[in-house]
PDB file of all heavy atoms in Angstrom:
ATOM      1  N   LEU A   1       0.811  -1.212   0.000  1.00  0.00           N
ATOM      2  CA  LEU A   1       0.000   0.000   0.000  1.00  0.00           C
ATOM      3  C   LEU A   1       0.850   1.270   0.000  1.00  0.00           C
ATOM      4  O   LEU A   1       2.030   1.242   0.346  1.00  0.00           O
ATOM      5  CB  LEU A   1      -0.891   0.027   1.254  1.00  0.00           C
ATOM      6  CG  LEU A   1      -1.782  -1.182   1.522  1.00  0.00           C
ATOM      7  CD1 LEU A   1      -2.548  -0.982   2.831  1.00  0.00           C
ATOM      8  CD2 LEU A   1      -2.741  -1.432   0.369  1.00  0.00           C
ATOM      9  N   ALA A   2       0.229   2.361  -0.376  1.00  0.00           N
ATOM     10  CA  ALA A   2       0.689   3.743  -0.221  1.00  0.00           C
ATOM     11  C   ALA A   2       1.856   4.132  -1.128  1.00  0.00           C
ATOM     12  O   ALA A   2       1.695   4.953  -2.026  1.00  0.00           O
ATOM     13  CB  ALA A   2       1.016   4.061   1.240  1.00  0.00           C
ATOM     14  N   ARG A   3       3.047   3.581  -0.893  1.00  0.00           N
ATOM     15  CA  ARG A   3       4.246   3.902  -1.669  1.00  0.00           C
ATOM     16  C   ARG A   3       5.164   2.688  -1.687  1.00  0.00           C
ATOM     17  O   ARG A   3       5.126   1.852  -0.786  1.00  0.00           O
ATOM     18  CB  ARG A   3       5.030   5.081  -1.053  1.00  0.00           C
ATOM     19  CG  ARG A   3       4.268   6.385  -0.943  1.00  0.00           C
ATOM     20  CD  ARG A   3       3.981   6.999  -2.305  1.00  0.00           C
ATOM     21  NE  ARG A   3       3.317   8.285  -2.190  1.00  0.00           N
ATOM     22  CZ  ARG A   3       2.003   8.467  -2.126  1.00  0.00           C
ATOM     23  NH1 ARG A   3       1.182   7.432  -2.145  1.00  0.00           N
ATOM     24  NH2 ARG A   3       1.485   9.681  -2.043  1.00  0.00           N
ATOM     25  N   ILE A   4       6.023   2.646  -2.711  1.00  0.00           N
ATOM     26  CA  ILE A   4       7.016   1.577  -2.842  1.00  0.00           C
ATOM     27  C   ILE A   4       8.379   2.205  -3.092  1.00  0.00           C
ATOM     28  O   ILE A   4       8.526   3.052  -3.977  1.00  0.00           O
ATOM     29  CB  ILE A   4       6.690   0.639  -4.030  1.00  0.00           C
ATOM     30  CG1 ILE A   4       5.364  -0.099  -3.804  1.00  0.00           C
ATOM     31  CG2 ILE A   4       7.823  -0.364  -4.257  1.00  0.00           C
ATOM     32  CD1 ILE A   4       4.880  -0.865  -5.036  1.00  0.00           C
ATOM     33  N   LEU A   5       9.375   1.763  -2.341  1.00  0.00           N
ATOM     34  CA  LEU A   5      10.791   2.052  -2.602  1.00  0.00           C
ATOM     35  C   LEU A   5      11.404   0.705  -2.975  1.00  0.00           C
ATOM     36  O   LEU A   5      11.532  -0.180  -2.125  1.00  0.00           O
ATOM     37  CB  LEU A   5      11.468   2.644  -1.364  1.00  0.00           C
ATOM     38  CG  LEU A   5      10.851   3.927  -0.810  1.00  0.00           C
ATOM     39  CD1 LEU A   5      11.525   4.310   0.509  1.00  0.00           C
ATOM     40  CD2 LEU A   5      10.935   5.055  -1.812  1.00  0.00           C
ATOM     41  N   TRP A   6      11.746   0.531  -4.255  1.00  0.00           N
ATOM     42  CA  TRP A   6      12.266  -0.756  -4.761  1.00  0.00           C
ATOM     43  C   TRP A   6      13.766  -0.780  -4.550  1.00  0.00           C
ATOM     44  O   TRP A   6      14.482   0.130  -4.993  1.00  0.00           O
ATOM     45  CB  TRP A   6      11.923  -0.897  -6.234  1.00  0.00           C
ATOM     46  CG  TRP A   6      12.102  -2.262  -6.831  1.00  0.00           C
ATOM     47  CD1 TRP A   6      12.553  -3.404  -6.226  1.00  0.00           C
ATOM     48  CD2 TRP A   6      11.822  -2.621  -8.177  1.00  0.00           C
ATOM     49  NE1 TRP A   6      12.553  -4.444  -7.115  1.00  0.00           N
ATOM     50  CE2 TRP A   6      12.114  -3.995  -8.327  1.00  0.00           C
ATOM     51  CE3 TRP A   6      11.345  -1.919  -9.294  1.00  0.00           C
ATOM     52  CZ2 TRP A   6      11.954  -4.675  -9.527  1.00  0.00           C
ATOM     53  CZ3 TRP A   6      11.188  -2.597 -10.479  1.00  0.00           C
ATOM     54  CH2 TRP A   6      11.487  -3.966 -10.593  1.00  0.00           C
ATOM     55  N   LEU A   7      14.261  -1.813  -3.886  1.00  0.00           N
ATOM     56  CA  LEU A   7      15.668  -1.908  -3.531  1.00  0.00           C
ATOM     57  C   LEU A   7      16.467  -2.717  -4.546  1.00  0.00           C
ATOM     58  O   LEU A   7      15.983  -3.708  -5.084  1.00  0.00           O
ATOM     59  CB  LEU A   7      15.826  -2.528  -2.144  1.00  0.00           C
ATOM     60  CG  LEU A   7      15.140  -1.792  -1.000  1.00  0.00           C
ATOM     61  CD1 LEU A   7      15.443  -2.470   0.331  1.00  0.00           C
ATOM     62  CD2 LEU A   7      15.523  -0.320  -0.969  1.00  0.00           C
ATOM     63  N   GLU A   8      17.701  -2.287  -4.749  1.00  0.00           N
ATOM     64  CA  GLU A   8      18.649  -2.972  -5.624  1.00  0.00           C
ATOM     65  C   GLU A   8      19.912  -3.254  -4.818  1.00  0.00           C
ATOM     66  O   GLU A   8      20.477  -2.344  -4.205  1.00  0.00           O
ATOM     67  CB  GLU A   8      18.982  -2.080  -6.816  1.00  0.00           C
ATOM     68  CG  GLU A   8      19.962  -2.679  -7.789  1.00  0.00           C
ATOM     69  CD  GLU A   8      20.208  -1.766  -8.985  1.00  0.00           C
ATOM     70  OE1 GLU A   8      19.403  -0.862  -9.255  1.00  0.00           O
ATOM     71  OE2 GLU A   8      21.248  -1.976  -9.632  1.00  0.00           O
ATOM     72  N   GLY A   9      20.336  -4.507  -4.798  1.00  0.00           N
ATOM     73  CA  GLY A   9      21.558  -4.881  -4.096  1.00  0.00           C
ATOM     74  C   GLY A   9      22.782  -4.299  -4.764  1.00  0.00           C
ATOM     75  O   GLY A   9      22.814  -4.122  -5.989  1.00  0.00           O
ATOM     76  N   LEU A  10      23.806  -4.007  -3.971  1.00  0.00           N
ATOM     77  CA  LEU A  10      25.040  -3.411  -4.482  1.00  0.00           C
ATOM     78  C   LEU A  10      26.242  -4.342  -4.359  1.00  0.00           C
ATOM     79  O   LEU A  10      27.340  -3.974  -4.770  1.00  0.00           O
ATOM     80  CB  LEU A  10      25.333  -2.098  -3.736  1.00  0.00           C
ATOM     81  CG  LEU A  10      24.293  -0.998  -3.912  1.00  0.00           C
ATOM     82  CD1 LEU A  10      24.638   0.200  -3.031  1.00  0.00           C
ATOM     83  CD2 LEU A  10      24.176  -0.581  -5.368  1.00  0.00           C
ATOM     84  N   GLU A  11      26.035  -5.545  -3.805  1.00  0.00           N
ATOM     85  CA  GLU A  11      27.144  -6.458  -3.554  1.00  0.00           C
ATOM     86  C   GLU A  11      27.016  -7.690  -4.444  1.00  0.00           C
ATOM     87  O   GLU A  11      26.232  -8.597  -4.155  1.00  0.00           O
ATOM     88  CB  GLU A  11      27.182  -6.839  -2.075  1.00  0.00           C
ATOM     89  CG  GLU A  11      27.385  -5.626  -1.169  1.00  0.00           C
ATOM     90  CD  GLU A  11      27.214  -5.964   0.288  1.00  0.00           C
ATOM     91  OE1 GLU A  11      28.152  -6.565   0.854  1.00  0.00           O
ATOM     92  OE2 GLU A  11      26.153  -5.653   0.850  1.00  0.00           O
ATOM     93  N   GLU A  12      27.793  -7.691  -5.525  1.00  0.00           N
ATOM     94  CA  GLU A  12      27.760  -8.779  -6.510  1.00  0.00           C
ATOM     95  C   GLU A  12      28.009 -10.120  -5.832  1.00  0.00           C
ATOM     96  O   GLU A  12      28.924 -10.262  -5.026  1.00  0.00           O
ATOM     97  CB  GLU A  12      28.822  -8.529  -7.590  1.00  0.00           C
ATOM     98  CG  GLU A  12      28.652  -9.388  -8.805  1.00  0.00           C
ATOM     99  CD  GLU A  12      27.396  -9.101  -9.603  1.00  0.00           C
ATOM    100  OE1 GLU A  12      27.050  -7.914  -9.791  1.00  0.00           O
ATOM    101  OE2 GLU A  12      26.748 -10.078 -10.020  1.00  0.00           O
ATOM    102  N   GLY A  13      27.126 -11.090  -6.127  1.00  0.00           N
ATOM    103  CA  GLY A  13      27.262 -12.428  -5.565  1.00  0.00           C
ATOM    104  C   GLY A  13      26.688 -12.571  -4.168  1.00  0.00           C
ATOM    105  O   GLY A  13      26.639 -13.676  -3.619  1.00  0.00           O
ATOM    106  N   TYR A  14      26.266 -11.458  -3.568  1.00  0.00           N
ATOM    107  CA  TYR A  14      25.707 -11.490  -2.210  1.00  0.00           C
ATOM    108  C   TYR A  14      24.240 -11.066  -2.222  1.00  0.00           C
ATOM    109  O   TYR A  14      23.378 -11.809  -1.777  1.00  0.00           O
ATOM    110  CB  TYR A  14      26.533 -10.615  -1.272  1.00  0.00           C
ATOM    111  CG  TYR A  14      26.106 -10.697   0.169  1.00  0.00           C
ATOM    112  CD1 TYR A  14      26.182 -11.898   0.870  1.00  0.00           C
ATOM    113  CD2 TYR A  14      25.624  -9.582   0.841  1.00  0.00           C
ATOM    114  CE1 TYR A  14      25.777 -11.984   2.194  1.00  0.00           C
ATOM    115  CE2 TYR A  14      25.223  -9.655   2.165  1.00  0.00           C
ATOM    116  CZ  TYR A  14      25.299 -10.852   2.830  1.00  0.00           C
ATOM    117  OH  TYR A  14      24.898 -10.933   4.146  1.00  0.00           O
ATOM    118  N   ASN A  15      23.963  -9.866  -2.744  1.00  0.00           N
ATOM    119  CA  ASN A  15      22.579  -9.414  -2.889  1.00  0.00           C
ATOM    120  C   ASN A  15      22.317  -8.860  -4.293  1.00  0.00           C
ATOM    121  O   ASN A  15      21.339  -8.178  -4.534  1.00  0.00           O
ATOM    122  CB  ASN A  15      22.196  -8.391  -1.811  1.00  0.00           C
ATOM    123  CG  ASN A  15      23.091  -7.175  -1.802  1.00  0.00           C
ATOM    124  OD1 ASN A  15      23.670  -6.788  -2.812  1.00  0.00           O
ATOM    125  ND2 ASN A  15      23.204  -6.551  -0.637  1.00  0.00           N
ATOM    126  N   ARG A  16      23.226  -9.186  -5.203  1.00  0.00           N
ATOM    127  CA  ARG A  16      23.124  -8.776  -6.604  1.00  0.00           C
ATOM    128  C   ARG A  16      23.600  -9.945  -7.472  1.00  0.00           C
ATOM    129  O   ARG A  16      24.651 -10.535  -7.193  1.00  0.00           O
ATOM    130  CB  ARG A  16      23.991  -7.549  -6.843  1.00  0.00           C
ATOM    131  CG  ARG A  16      23.924  -6.980  -8.233  1.00  0.00           C
ATOM    132  CD  ARG A  16      24.883  -5.779  -8.348  1.00  0.00           C
ATOM    133  NE  ARG A  16      24.815  -5.204  -9.650  1.00  0.00           N
ATOM    134  CZ  ARG A  16      24.076  -4.141  -9.973  1.00  0.00           C
ATOM    135  NH1 ARG A  16      23.367  -3.540  -9.048  1.00  0.00           N
ATOM    136  NH2 ARG A  16      24.058  -3.677 -11.194  1.00  0.00           N
ATOM    137  N   GLY A  17      22.826 -10.273  -8.496  1.00  0.00           N
ATOM    138  CA  GLY A  17      23.221 -11.349  -9.403  1.00  0.00           C
ATOM    139  C   GLY A  17      23.051 -12.726  -8.776  1.00  0.00           C
ATOM    140  O   GLY A  17      22.061 -12.988  -8.101  1.00  0.00           O
ATOM    141  N   GLU A  18      24.039 -13.583  -9.015  1.00  0.00           N
ATOM    142  CA  GLU A  18      24.012 -14.951  -8.497  1.00  0.00           C
ATOM    143  C   GLU A  18      25.167 -15.169  -7.536  1.00  0.00           C
ATOM    144  O   GLU A  18      26.212 -14.533  -7.650  1.00  0.00           O
ATOM    145  CB  GLU A  18      24.131 -15.949  -9.655  1.00  0.00           C
ATOM    146  CG  GLU A  18      22.971 -15.894 -10.622  1.00  0.00           C
ATOM    147  CD  GLU A  18      23.125 -16.866 -11.777  1.00  0.00           C
ATOM    148  OE1 GLU A  18      24.247 -17.373 -12.026  1.00  0.00           O
ATOM    149  OE2 GLU A  18      22.106 -17.114 -12.445  1.00  0.00           O
ATOM    150  N   ASN A  19      24.977 -16.121  -6.614  1.00  0.00           N
ATOM    151  CA  ASN A  19      26.072 -16.461  -5.698  1.00  0.00           C
ATOM    152  C   ASN A  19      27.039 -17.426  -6.389  1.00  0.00           C
ATOM    153  O   ASN A  19      26.864 -17.769  -7.558  1.00  0.00           O
ATOM    154  CB  ASN A  19      25.543 -17.009  -4.367  1.00  0.00           C
ATOM    155  CG  ASN A  19      24.829 -18.336  -4.497  1.00  0.00           C
ATOM    156  OD1 ASN A  19      24.903 -19.022  -5.517  1.00  0.00           O
ATOM    157  ND2 ASN A  19      24.131 -18.721  -3.434  1.00  0.00           N
ATOM    158  N   ALA A  20      28.049 -17.885  -5.682  1.00  0.00           N
ATOM    159  CA  ALA A  20      29.085 -18.758  -6.245  1.00  0.00           C
ATOM    160  C   ALA A  20      28.517 -20.088  -6.746  1.00  0.00           C
ATOM    161  O   ALA A  20      29.098 -20.716  -7.629  1.00  0.00           O
ATOM    162  CB  ALA A  20      30.177 -19.016  -5.202  1.00  0.00           C
ATOM    163  N   GLN A  21      27.369 -20.496  -6.217  1.00  0.00           N
ATOM    164  CA  GLN A  21      26.729 -21.738  -6.647  1.00  0.00           C
ATOM    165  C   GLN A  21      25.774 -21.524  -7.828  1.00  0.00           C
ATOM    166  O   GLN A  21      25.107 -22.454  -8.273  1.00  0.00           O
ATOM    167  CB  GLN A  21      25.957 -22.372  -5.482  1.00  0.00           C
ATOM    168  CG  GLN A  21      26.829 -22.893  -4.363  1.00  0.00           C
ATOM    169  CD  GLN A  21      27.390 -21.775  -3.480  1.00  0.00           C
ATOM    170  OE1 GLN A  21      26.716 -20.795  -3.187  1.00  0.00           O
ATOM    171  NE2 GLN A  21      28.649 -21.913  -3.084  1.00  0.00           N
ATOM    172  N   GLY A  22      25.695 -20.280  -8.311  1.00  0.00           N
ATOM    173  CA  GLY A  22      24.827 -19.972  -9.439  1.00  0.00           C
ATOM    174  C   GLY A  22      23.367 -19.761  -9.074  1.00  0.00           C
ATOM    175  O   GLY A  22      22.494 -19.766  -9.939  1.00  0.00           O
ATOM    176  N   ILE A  23      23.092 -19.553  -7.799  1.00  0.00           N
ATOM    177  CA  ILE A  23      21.721 -19.341  -7.325  1.00  0.00           C
ATOM    178  C   ILE A  23      21.458 -17.839  -7.234  1.00  0.00           C
ATOM    179  O   ILE A  23      22.294 -17.081  -6.739  1.00  0.00           O
ATOM    180  CB  ILE A  23      21.509 -20.011  -5.950  1.00  0.00           C
ATOM    181  CG1 ILE A  23      21.753 -21.520  -6.070  1.00  0.00           C
ATOM    182  CG2 ILE A  23      20.112 -19.735  -5.419  1.00  0.00           C
ATOM    183  CD1 ILE A  23      21.821 -22.237  -4.741  1.00  0.00           C
ATOM    184  N   CYS A  24      20.283 -17.417  -7.687  1.00  0.00           N
ATOM    185  CA  CYS A  24      19.909 -16.004  -7.657  1.00  0.00           C
ATOM    186  C   CYS A  24      19.850 -15.479  -6.227  1.00  0.00           C
ATOM    187  O   CYS A  24      19.188 -16.058  -5.365  1.00  0.00           O
ATOM    188  CB  CYS A  24      18.559 -15.800  -8.342  1.00  0.00           C
ATOM    189  SG  CYS A  24      18.003 -14.081  -8.282  1.00  0.00           S
ATOM    190  N   VAL A  25      20.572 -14.386  -6.001  1.00  0.00           N
ATOM    191  CA  VAL A  25      20.548 -13.681  -4.721  1.00  0.00           C
ATOM    192  C   VAL A  25      20.211 -12.208  -4.943  1.00  0.00           C
ATOM    193  O   VAL A  25      20.412 -11.381  -4.062  1.00  0.00           O
ATOM    194  CB  VAL A  25      21.904 -13.812  -3.973  1.00  0.00           C
ATOM    195  CG1 VAL A  25      22.134 -15.242  -3.527  1.00  0.00           C
ATOM    196  CG2 VAL A  25      23.062 -13.309  -4.831  1.00  0.00           C
ATOM    197  N   ASP A  26      19.684 -11.882  -6.108  1.00  0.00           N
ATOM    198  CA  ASP A  26      19.477 -10.500  -6.547  1.00  0.00           C
ATOM    199  C   ASP A  26      18.240  -9.878  -5.900  1.00  0.00           C
ATOM    200  O   ASP A  26      17.111 -10.280  -6.184  1.00  0.00           O
ATOM    201  CB  ASP A  26      19.338 -10.483  -8.070  1.00  0.00           C
ATOM    202  CG  ASP A  26      19.493  -9.093  -8.627  1.00  0.00           C
ATOM    203  OD1 ASP A  26      18.481  -8.360  -8.682  1.00  0.00           O
ATOM    204  OD2 ASP A  26      20.626  -8.737  -8.982  1.00  0.00           O
ATOM    205  N   SER A  27      18.468  -8.903  -5.024  1.00  0.00           N
ATOM    206  CA  SER A  27      17.362  -8.266  -4.298  1.00  0.00           C
ATOM    207  C   SER A  27      16.346  -7.631  -5.237  1.00  0.00           C
ATOM    208  O   SER A  27      15.140  -7.696  -4.989  1.00  0.00           O
ATOM    209  CB  SER A  27      17.896  -7.215  -3.323  1.00  0.00           C
ATOM    210  OG  SER A  27      18.666  -7.822  -2.312  1.00  0.00           O
ATOM    211  N   LYS A  28      16.813  -7.001  -6.310  1.00  0.00           N
ATOM    212  CA  LYS A  28      15.871  -6.341  -7.223  1.00  0.00           C
ATOM    213  C   LYS A  28      15.005  -7.370  -7.938  1.00  0.00           C
ATOM    214  O   LYS A  28      13.786  -7.208  -8.018  1.00  0.00           O
ATOM    215  CB  LYS A  28      16.591  -5.446  -8.224  1.00  0.00           C
ATOM    216  CG  LYS A  28      15.595  -4.634  -9.037  1.00  0.00           C
ATOM    217  CD  LYS A  28      16.202  -3.459  -9.735  1.00  0.00           C
ATOM    218  CE  LYS A  28      15.087  -2.628 -10.361  1.00  0.00           C
ATOM    219  NZ  LYS A  28      15.611  -1.527 -11.137  1.00  0.00           N
ATOM    220  N   SER A  29      15.587  -8.444  -8.439  1.00  0.00           N
ATOM    221  CA  SER A  29      14.779  -9.454  -9.134  1.00  0.00           C
ATOM    222  C   SER A  29      13.914 -10.253  -8.161  1.00  0.00           C
ATOM    223  O   SER A  29      12.959 -10.910  -8.581  1.00  0.00           O
ATOM    224  CB  SER A  29      15.646 -10.383  -9.975  1.00  0.00           C
ATOM    225  OG  SER A  29      16.416 -11.232  -9.167  1.00  0.00           O
ATOM    226  N   ARG A  30      14.211 -10.163  -6.867  1.00  0.00           N
ATOM    227  CA  ARG A  30      13.360 -10.765  -5.830  1.00  0.00           C
ATOM    228  C   ARG A  30      12.215  -9.821  -5.456  1.00  0.00           C
ATOM    229  O   ARG A  30      11.364 -10.177  -4.648  1.00  0.00           O
ATOM    230  CB  ARG A  30      14.187 -11.077  -4.574  1.00  0.00           C
ATOM    231  CG  ARG A  30      15.163 -12.226  -4.755  1.00  0.00           C
ATOM    232  CD  ARG A  30      15.923 -12.497  -3.463  1.00  0.00           C
ATOM    233  NE  ARG A  30      14.983 -12.823  -2.381  1.00  0.00           N
ATOM    234  CZ  ARG A  30      15.255 -12.665  -1.092  1.00  0.00           C
ATOM    235  NH1 ARG A  30      16.436 -12.204  -0.705  1.00  0.00           N
ATOM    236  NH2 ARG A  30      14.354 -12.975  -0.186  1.00  0.00           N
ATOM    237  N   TYR A  31      12.202  -8.611  -6.015  1.00  0.00           N
ATOM    238  CA  TYR A  31      11.159  -7.612  -5.745  1.00  0.00           C
ATOM    239  C   TYR A  31      11.104  -7.249  -4.264  1.00  0.00           C
ATOM    240  O   TYR A  31      10.043  -7.274  -3.634  1.00  0.00           O
ATOM    241  CB  TYR A  31       9.791  -8.079  -6.254  1.00  0.00           C
ATOM    242  CG  TYR A  31       9.832  -8.416  -7.724  1.00  0.00           C
ATOM    243  CD1 TYR A  31       9.888  -9.736  -8.153  1.00  0.00           C
ATOM    244  CD2 TYR A  31       9.876  -7.402  -8.675  1.00  0.00           C
ATOM    245  CE1 TYR A  31       9.961 -10.048  -9.503  1.00  0.00           C
ATOM    246  CE2 TYR A  31       9.950  -7.710 -10.033  1.00  0.00           C
ATOM    247  CZ  TYR A  31       9.990  -9.025 -10.430  1.00  0.00           C
ATOM    248  OH  TYR A  31      10.072  -9.323 -11.761  1.00  0.00           O
ATOM    249  N   ILE A  32      12.271  -6.897  -3.732  1.00  0.00           N
ATOM    250  CA  ILE A  32      12.356  -6.474  -2.333  1.00  0.00           C
ATOM    251  C   ILE A  32      12.089  -4.975  -2.265  1.00  0.00           C
ATOM    252  O   ILE A  32      12.794  -4.179  -2.887  1.00  0.00           O
ATOM    253  CB  ILE A  32      13.737  -6.820  -1.727  1.00  0.00           C
ATOM    254  CG1 ILE A  32      13.990  -8.344  -1.789  1.00  0.00           C
ATOM    255  CG2 ILE A  32      13.839  -6.292  -0.297  1.00  0.00           C
ATOM    256  CD1 ILE A  32      13.025  -9.208  -0.991  1.00  0.00           C
ATOM    257  N   TYR A  33      11.062  -4.614  -1.503  1.00  0.00           N
ATOM    258  CA  TYR A  33      10.620  -3.226  -1.375  1.00  0.00           C
ATOM    259  C   TYR A  33      10.617  -2.787   0.085  1.00  0.00           C
ATOM    260  O   TYR A  33      10.518  -3.611   0.990  1.00  0.00           O
ATOM    261  CB  TYR A  33       9.173  -3.041  -1.846  1.00  0.00           C
ATOM    262  CG  TYR A  33       8.756  -3.622  -3.148  1.00  0.00           C
ATOM    263  CD1 TYR A  33       7.498  -4.217  -3.270  1.00  0.00           C
ATOM    264  CD2 TYR A  33       9.565  -3.558  -4.277  1.00  0.00           C
ATOM    265  CE1 TYR A  33       7.061  -4.736  -4.472  1.00  0.00           C
ATOM    266  CE2 TYR A  33       9.132  -4.082  -5.488  1.00  0.00           C
ATOM    267  CZ  TYR A  33       7.873  -4.669  -5.585  1.00  0.00           C
ATOM    268  OH  TYR A  33       7.437  -5.185  -6.775  1.00  0.00           O
ATOM    269  N   ILE A  34      10.621  -1.480   0.252  1.00  0.00           N
ATOM    270  CA  ILE A  34      10.137  -0.843   1.476  1.00  0.00           C
ATOM    271  C   ILE A  34       8.768  -0.315   1.067  1.00  0.00           C
ATOM    272  O   ILE A  34       8.666   0.432   0.087  1.00  0.00           O
ATOM    273  CB  ILE A  34      11.064   0.295   1.939  1.00  0.00           C
ATOM    274  CG1 ILE A  34      12.481  -0.231   2.227  1.00  0.00           C
ATOM    275  CG2 ILE A  34      10.479   0.976   3.179  1.00  0.00           C
ATOM    276  CD1 ILE A  34      13.513   0.861   2.482  1.00  0.00           C
TER     277      ILE A  34
END
């Protein structure tokens, strides 16, 4: 409701892109909002 602040991770392999095992850890593609 009300407003959305969409977050994007800044740490490659941690909260951006994929981790070392090739699993998605990307906060933006996970649709993580405030």
Side-chain angles (χ1 to χ4, degrees):
L1 306 178
R3 300 292 183 271
I4 296 171
L5 302 173
W6 193 359
L7 301 183
E8 180 178 341
L10 297 175
E11 299 171 77
E12 194 66 42
Y14 186 63
N15 57 27
R16 183 182 181 97
E18 296 179 344
N19 66 13
Q21 292 76 38
I23 300 169
C24 178
V25 292
D26 195 274
S27 295
K28 187 163 187 184
S29 70
R30 289 181 59 204
Y31 304 102
I32 300 297
Y33 312 140
I34 300 171

